[in-house]
Amino acid sequence: ERIIPLDLRGHKVEDLASGLVGVVTGISEHISRQRQALVQPPAKDGDKPKGVWIDVETLKDLGTTELQAKFPDTTRLNLGDKMRHEVAGIEGTAQDKVVYLNGCVHFGVMVGANRNGEVQTFYFDHKELTVLTPAKAQPVAASCGGPDRPHWGR
């Protein structure tokens, strides 16, 4: 069984599925407990490729770099909290939390569906959010019977 550090920010990793190698510049945790890493491949010939979100479970940790995260996550907000963005007045439930290499913490706040039935989620810096109602309980990961991917509410 592979041991995956909770915070891979600044680690060099390899995606075992695709062979992509890069440095983790962000970690995302969804309310379903799915965790993904934003992997930045190296620049080639002056071109910087876009970072790729990859499930943490498919990554091989190749060790830390000089970029290892020096900024701990100090936010007191939690997934599942009902919150409001103070500037826009948007209210919703925190579904996704992203912590970047530089210490920035953003939350994806789901506000419901639009007229087309598409779920709307807006991302805000945690310093701009106020908790209206704390989450009653943190979600529990459970297997769906397929690949080992957690799902909310099962």
Side-chain angles (χ1 to χ4, degrees), residues 44-95:
K44 289 186 180 179
D45 301 324
D47 291 329
K48 178 185 155 203
K50 287 188 174 187
V52 180
W53 286 103
I54 301 173
D55 287 343
V56 171
E57 290 79 12
T58 68
L59 296 176
K60 178 180 179 182
D61 186 358
L62 301 177
T64 60
T65 68
E66 63 275 4
L67 297 174
Q68 185 173 3
K70 294 178 176 46
F71 302 97
D73 174 13
T74 59
T75 180
R76 291 201 166 107
L77 305 175
N78 294 299
L79 294 171
D81 287 351
K82 182 168 178 160
M83 42 184 70
R84 175 178 46 238
H85 184 259
E86 291 303 323
V87 176
I90 294 173
E91 294 183 8
T93 303
Q95 298 290 308

Side-chain angles (χ1 to χ4, degrees), residues 14-43:
E14 177 184 4
D15 179 25
L16 297 175
S18 70
L20 177 79
V21 174
V23 175
V24 175
T25 59
I27 292 287
S28 170
E29 182 176 8
H30 191 266
I31 196 166
S32 68
R33 291 294 190 227
Q34 175 189 15
R35 289 189 2 230
Q36 292 188 322
L38 181 57
V39 179
Q40 179 62 55

Side-chain angles (χ1 to χ4, degrees), residues 97-118:
K97 176 181 179 181
V98 183
V99 182
Y100 292 98
L101 184 61
N102 63 1
C104 288
V105 180
H106 293 169
F107 278 87
V109 179
M110 186 179 71
V111 297
N114 63 17
R115 287 179 278 176
N116 297 328
E118 301 165 332

